[in-house]
Amino acid sequence: MNRRDLLKYSALAPLAATGLSPLLAADKKPRRWGLQGGTIIKALEADFEGTLREVAAMGYKEIGTTGSFGRDPAYVRSVLDRYGLTSPNNHVAPNPTYKAFANWVTRAAPDNDVMTFYADTFSLKNARAAFEDGIETSKILGQTYVMWAILLDGQIADRPTIDAYIKLFNEIGDMCAKEGKVFAFHNHAREFAKVGNDVILDLFLQNTDPDKVKFELDFYWTTKAGADPIAYLERYAGRTKLCHLKDITADGDFAPVGQGTLDVPALIKTCDDAGIEHILVEIDRADDPMAAIRTSIDYLHRTIG
């Protein structure tokens, strides 16, 4: 062995000791863990800039927005830029709808108020206008995905209504594509119910344009519904572009990542295999959301990288 080879293999020895092949070690890229901003609405409403500074300090690199958090999108973009955060996706919420959501999160308004706002904003009559607003907001925020955050019970109550919303999704997909954006939607548990012999979620995925209507899979809600998130990642690989990552307790409650029953490393591996672009931590409800997201990213950094 010549001196050059000796130096080369000597340099690789520490990698061998870790159990990583040189190829894997060389190819491993720093993770850009994201956070869905709806998780921390209460903190944002108390201290918008300070909260985003803290999120960045925890190690998050991306944050999905709820509209523009009821603020001027240019201002929001300036704060994100200041703290080195990028935003891949916008859960569309024009300012009045965001305000209703924020009031619900901070318990300033009852549950039915926010549901009333959402039902009206995303009705067959008004949804196109909401997405026109969402597209313009996303342009300013530098986002790719303009998203339908929640399908309500009344929007998937029967097959004719489902078909009407499938048609609407295709139309919004066209709207977004013409503006250089990508339409996507997000699931909860209710989309795993059946209409006849068909799972509602599959009806949406199988009857919308795969090039213009993408998907954000929520691991918690999929598991809560009794479905297998890994199977859905594999079935709709290439179609699913984003994921919401939170854990689920044995009794079905929300938990920070790594504190519940999900096999998080297996889910992340499947995300990588399926070409998922953005993995966003989301905790729908927590006594201390900021502590929950810190616990989550600490686990991810420690376990995944």
Side-chain angles (χ1 to χ4, degrees):
M1 180 182 295
N2 62 35
R3 183 174 182 274
R4 179 179 295 176
D5 288 338
L6 178 61
L7 289 172
K8 178 176 71 174
Y9 286 110
S10 296
L12 296 179
L15 295 175
T18 68
L20 292 175
S21 76
L23 179 61
L24 288 175
D27 287 350
K28 188 175 178 61
K29 297 178 181 178
R31 294 278 182 170
R32 291 187 58 80
W33 299 114
L35 171 69
Q36 194 64 47
T39 300
I40 54 168
I41 292 294
K42 188 173 182 179
L44 289 170
E45 289 303 297
D47 181 359
F48 188 77
E49 294 194 24
T51 296
L52 290 176
R53 181 174 62 246
E54 186 175 350
V55 165
M58 290 180 192
Y60 288 99
K61 301 298 184 185
E62 300 181 335
I63 184 165
T65 68
T66 303
S68 58
F69 299 116
R71 294 162 172 81
D72 177 6
Y75 163 70
V76 175
R77 176 67 182 269
S78 72
V79 178
L80 296 180
D81 288 348
R82 187 179 313 146
Y83 298 120
L85 294 165
T86 57
S87 184
N89 66 319
N90 171 11
H91 280 197
V92 168
N95 285 352
T97 307
Y98 171 81
K99 183 64 174 176
F101 179 64
N103 284 341
W104 172 72
V105 169
T106 58
R107 298 297 182 257
D111 291 2
N112 61 333
D113 280 13
V114 69
M115 289 299 102
T116 298
F117 259 96
Y118 265 82
D120 183 61
T121 302
F122 299 104
S123 65
L124 293 170
K125 176 183 176 182
N126 295 329
R128 292 170 187 80
F131 273 83
E132 288 173 358
D133 177 272
I135 289 167
E136 293 308 309
T137 295
S138 291
K139 288 178 181 178
I140 296 169
L141 293 176
Q143 298 162 321
T144 298
Y145 295 99
V146 186
M147 299 195 56
W148 191 290
I150 179 171
L151 276 162
L152 301 172
D153 289 329
Q155 296 167 340
I156 54 175
D158 52 47
R159 187 58 188 265
T161 306
I162 291 168
D163 287 343
Y165 275 91
I166 287 171
K167 181 174 182 289
L168 177 63
F169 274 26
N170 280 319
E171 292 172 358
I172 295 175
D174 286 335
M175 283 174 51
C176 290
K178 288 175 182 176
E179 297 295 330
K181 300 298 176 184
V182 181
F183 175 60
F185 70 103
H186 167 263
N187 73 282
H188 291 80
R190 60 177 63 89
E191 293 90 344
F192 291 93
K194 285 188 174 182
V195 171
N197 294 321
D198 298 307
V199 174
I200 293 169
L201 179 58
D202 292 330
L203 287 173
F204 274 89
L205 286 166
Q206 292 167 7
N207 292 284
T208 50
D209 185 340
D211 293 327
K212 296 179 180 178
V213 179
K214 303 299 184 181
F215 181 48
E216 179 178 59
L217 179 67
D218 189 298
F219 296 149
Y220 170 91
W221 287 113
T222 302
T223 304
K224 179 84 168 178
D228 180 359
I230 286 180
Y232 264 84
L233 283 170
E234 293 173 341
R235 186 183 310 169
Y236 294 105
R239 189 75 183 275
T240 308
K241 296 298 185 181
L242 313 94
C243 289
H244 276 178
L245 176 58
K246 52 183 167 279
D247 222 325
I248 184 169
T249 65
D251 59 358
D253 203 356
F254 302 105
V257 181
Q259 304 298 302
T261 62
L262 291 183
D263 186 346
V264 175
L267 285 166
I268 301 301
K269 182 182 185 306
T270 308
C271 284
D272 292 344
D273 293 343
I276 302 303
E277 296 174 357
H278 306 282
I279 301 174
L280 305 167
V281 170
E282 182 191 50
I283 316 290
D284 295 43
R285 186 182 64 251
D287 292 336
D288 186 343
M290 295 299 285
I293 67 170
R294 182 182 296 279
T295 297
S296 296
I297 198 166
D298 286 350
Y299 168 85
L300 291 169
H301 281 152
R302 185 173 66 251
T303 307
I304 310 296

